[in-house]
Amino acid sequence: METASCSAAAAGNGNVGSQRDRSLVPERLQRREQERQLEVERRKQKRQNQEVEEEKSDFFAAAFARERAAVEELLEGGESVEQLEEAAARLQGLQKLLNDSVLFLAAYELRQGQEAMARLQAALADRRQQLQPKKRFAFKTRRKDAASATKVDCAAPGAPAAEGIQASSPPLKGDGGFGSSRVCGFSNLKSQVLEKKAEELHQQDVLLTELSNCKIRLYGNPNTLRLTKARSCTVLCGPVSTSVFLEDCSECVLAVVCQQLRVHTTRDTRIFLQVTSRAIVEDCSGIQFAPYTWSYPGIDKDFEGSGLDRSKNNWNDVDDFNWLARGVASPNWSILPEGERMIQWD
């Protein structure tokens, strides 16, 4: 009897278990179906996003090519200041199109666009120079001019700044868009405090080269800025309308606002940046980025004159052309820790 009772109980438990298993089958099937539908929806959304990005990329390519051709035509036939101003306005619109498209452009597309912009900016500067009236020839005392080109009183930062390379050094041509002879700046100086005012820099191309242990303040709104072969220098600059280039620098500090930044063959340098496009580093090491914090009286007016969008800042969106590994941070640049960003600029 007891054996029969145990067998009956076991059979009863087995029936209960099988009924429970059968009741779970619809739940598992339903859960699988939900997962399948979610996966289908994810793939569909991914496909749609890819199509949107391709459409945006195609639209950008067509619009950029159309506007670039219009600017080139104005520059080739520009025989008046009005035509050049129209070219400058369209070029600014072209830069805005590029800036607004950085989120969906591939790295090579962005690089091509930036290189095209640099060439157009250089061509515009050349045409402006060609239309400028010729300066009247006059004899000058060379010794006096040479002395004034490098003399800076370190004890008096408010004293007139050095005239630099505007008359003594040839303009730099090639990569970076410095094909214009309207280049001003400083060169071949050590342990100096250098300064240029807004009226000196307005829409000028600024070149700083072969400087060592110098502090440079650039007030106003330059068109471009290039810093080359600098060692242990601090450069503070107001809003730059277009591009900033660093090349072959080391142990420097730079504070700058610009549309685009390119850094080549530079090491151990801190950059306090506001950029409306992306920053690009190439063949660099030890580059640290932080938000732009320098300020001076009149900077609001210079921002307005630069045409830059003050609300846009991609200071930590950096492309390293020597580091193509996706999902892995480049070892060549990093974010400057917040505790190290407190700097007394002046």
Side-chain angles (χ1 to χ4, degrees):
M1 278 298 286
E2 290 182 0
T3 303
S5 299
C6 290
S7 300
N13 291 336
N15 292 335
V16 171
S18 61
Q19 288 175 359
R20 186 184 301 114
D21 290 341
R22 284 196 296 270
S23 66
L24 291 176
V25 168
E27 293 181 13
R28 287 198 296 267
L29 291 176
Q30 186 176 9
R31 189 163 56 249
R32 287 181 183 177
E33 178 63 19
Q34 289 175 346
E35 291 173 355
R36 188 189 68 80
Q37 289 178 356
L38 286 174
E39 181 62 24
V40 169
E41 188 63 29
R42 278 196 294 267
R43 290 179 180 178
K44 180 180 178 182
Q45 188 63 42
K46 182 179 180 181
R47 197 162 50 244
Q48 289 176 344
N49 291 341
Q50 185 175 358
E51 290 173 356
V52 168
E53 287 194 2
E54 289 174 355
E55 289 176 3
K56 287 182 178 179
S57 182
D58 292 342
F59 171 80
F60 167 81
F64 192 88
R66 183 174 60 251
E67 282 301 300
R68 181 177 61 184
V71 172
E72 289 172 344
E73 184 177 353
L74 284 168
L75 293 176
E76 289 174 1
E79 299 297 334
S80 67
V81 175
E82 289 76 15
Q83 286 179 301
L84 292 188
E85 290 307 315
E86 182 183 351
R90 299 192 76 150
L91 191 57
Q92 193 171 29
L94 195 60
Q95 183 69 60
K96 186 177 186 304
L97 173 64
L98 181 61
N99 293 344
D100 292 342
S101 306
V102 296
L103 295 178
F104 60 82
L105 288 179
Y108 75 93
E109 292 176 314
L110 179 61
R111 186 176 188 177
Q112 287 179 338
Q114 290 172 334
E115 289 173 351
M117 288 299 304
R119 289 192 295 269
L120 291 173
Q121 288 156 5
L124 175 61
D126 281 339
R127 293 297 293 150
R128 279 177 169 165
Q129 179 63 25
Q130 291 170 11
L131 289 182
Q132 281 186 345
K134 301 294 184 181
K135 293 184 178 180
R136 296 180 62 185
F137 177 78
F139 288 100
K140 293 183 180 180
T141 304
R142 291 187 179 181
R143 181 174 298 175
K144 183 178 179 180
D145 288 348
S148 65
T150 57
K151 177 67 174 176
V152 176
D153 185 359
C154 295
E163 288 299 320
I165 61 172
Q166 188 167 7
S168 59
S169 297
L172 215 118
K173 297 191 177 185
D175 182 40
F178 279 78
S180 169
S181 59
R182 300 193 314 149
V183 178
C184 66
F186 304 102
S187 67
N188 298 295
L189 294 170
K190 295 182 178 180
S191 304
Q192 301 285 344
V193 176
L194 308 170
E195 183 177 294
K196 281 194 176 292
K197 299 294 187 182
E199 55 270 19
E200 299 177 84
L201 293 184
H202 182 66
Q203 287 302 297
Q204 294 288 313
D205 296 325
V206 179
L207 175 59
L208 308 174
T209 182
E210 298 190 73
L211 303 175
S212 177
N213 197 33
C214 291
K215 184 167 186 176
I216 305 102
R217 297 185 185 91
L218 303 174
Y219 301 98
N221 167 220
N223 180 50
T224 55
L225 169 64
R226 183 164 187 168
L227 177 66
T228 69
K229 300 179 181 178
R231 303 290 179 265
S232 302
C233 290
T234 297
V235 180
L236 311 178
C237 186
V240 178
S241 290
T242 57
S243 304
V244 173
F245 302 89
L246 271 71
E247 188 170 23
D248 193 20
C249 299
S250 63
E251 299 176 354
C252 291
V253 175
L254 173 69
V256 69
V257 183
C258 57
Q259 282 186 337
Q260 62 174 339
L261 171 74
R262 297 190 68 172
V263 187
H264 294 266
T265 57
T266 293
R267 62 178 179 82
D268 303 328
T269 292
R270 296 182 175 187
I271 302 175
F272 292 78
L273 178 67
Q274 179 164 346
V275 62
T276 56
S277 180
R278 291 176 179 169
I280 294 173
V281 298
E282 191 170 14
D283 299 325
C284 295
S285 64
I287 309 299
Q288 293 182 298
F289 290 92
Y292 181 81
T293 54
W294 188 48
S295 185
Y296 57 88
I299 192 172
D300 293 337
K301 181 180 178 181
D302 294 332
F303 259 106
E304 291 177 6
S306 70
L308 298 174
D309 184 352
R310 197 167 187 176
S311 65
K312 184 178 291 187
N313 189 5
N314 300 319
W315 67 272
N316 57 352
D317 190 359
V318 181
D319 284 334
D320 185 352
F321 284 171
N322 297 109
W323 188 257
L324 303 179
R326 290 184 175 272
V328 181
S330 166
N332 301 317
W333 70 273
S334 62
I335 301 298
L336 184 66
E338 290 190 16
E340 300 178 31
R341 299 178 190 176
M342 303 300 293
I343 293 182
Q344 285 295 117
W345 296 116
D346 298 308

